[in-house]
Amino acid sequence: MPVAYGDESFREHPEHGFYVLTGVVFEPSTLADACEALLALRGKHRKLHWYDMGPVEQLRIVKKLADLDGMHVVVIGSPVPVQKQERARAKCLTSLVVELHGFGVDSLLLEARSANLNRRDVRTVTAARQSLLPTRARFHVDHCSGAVEPLLWAADAIAGICRAARLGRSEYRDMLADHVYDVEIDTGC
């Protein structure tokens, strides 16, 4: 079964806030090529991070992601008022589990945050698996440092690209049109 690699981006705002949670999925046969391509793009940096890249580096990673055989599932939740991002994340993560399961994915590796927030993610995924997936369905979530796993860099880039598109800068999202499946949800925040 394929594994999804996940990361997020969000914008808190009293009326126009949103949360973007990605699950980047590559065919198992292309994982090594995807890792190698991302490592080559990293250069001297410890890891690739969308917001630390300049426009030339961003375009380079978008082109590389467009060339790689991947399907990227993106859940965009709104609204996200100030100090409600964790609630929005839980709603997006629940939807992401359901969407990824529908694509035959049963494992999600998220970029690690604090131990407490990681445990919150695990509880959210467990609840989604038990209440929204078929009986006996398997779905597992784990966390890993972004510096350790290059495929998390792809998830970070997809989240940044979709955030930019939501804010009116869609040229990079347009270049990945065939590789991104996005779902919009109401967070209830």
Side-chain angles (χ1 to χ4, degrees):
M1 291 280 245
V3 173
Y5 299 85
D7 203 2
E8 84 286 326
S9 185
F10 63 91
R11 177 179 188 242
E12 292 178 315
H13 188 274
E15 292 121 25
H16 307 292
F18 58 91
Y19 201 99
V20 178
L21 188 62
T22 63
V24 173
V25 182
F26 294 100
E27 288 299 320
S29 61
T30 65
L31 285 176
D33 290 340
C35 279
E36 187 177 309
L38 291 162
L39 285 167
L41 291 172
R42 176 180 63 175
K44 299 178 282 187
H45 303 287
R46 188 172 143 245
K47 70 176 191 172
L48 289 177
H49 191 257
W50 183 256
Y51 291 104
D52 294 337
M53 294 182 217
V56 171
E57 293 170 305
Q58 288 178 340
L59 181 58
R60 205 174 292 140
I61 195 169
V62 171
K63 286 181 177 179
K64 184 50 70 179
L65 289 171
D67 289 343
L68 294 169
D69 188 22
M71 168 53 91
H72 314 309
V73 180
V74 180
V75 176
I76 302 170
S78 62
V80 181
V82 177
Q83 297 188 1
K84 296 288 185 181
Q85 83 264 15
E86 287 304 319
R87 179 183 164 118
R89 179 187 178 90
K91 294 283 191 171
C92 290
L93 184 55
T94 297
S95 292
L96 186 62
V97 167
V98 172
E99 295 296 333
L100 289 171
H101 182 265
F103 281 103
V105 174
D106 69 358
S107 186
L108 173 63
L109 182 66
L110 292 170
E111 182 162 7
R113 303 184 304 152
S114 72
N116 185 44
L117 294 176
N118 291 346
R119 283 191 297 274
R120 184 181 290 185
D121 286 345
V122 170
R123 285 191 304 269
T124 299
V125 169
T126 299
R129 184 186 71 240
Q130 292 173 345
S131 65
L132 298 173
L133 299 185
T135 305
R136 296 189 184 97
R138 296 179 56 198
F139 199 96
H140 175 75
V141 65
D142 207 349
H143 296 83
C144 177
S145 166
V148 172
E149 177 53 67
L151 295 173
L152 289 172
W153 308 341
D156 173 76
I158 295 294
I161 290 163
C162 290
R163 181 182 194 278
R166 181 76 179 219
L167 293 172
R169 297 181 314 273
S170 64
E171 62 277 4
Y172 293 150
R173 169 65 178 84
D174 294 344
M175 292 172 67
L176 295 168
D178 295 340
H179 299 280
V180 177
Y181 169 76
D182 49 15
V183 176
E184 298 223 8
I185 66 163
D186 183 342
T187 62
C189 294

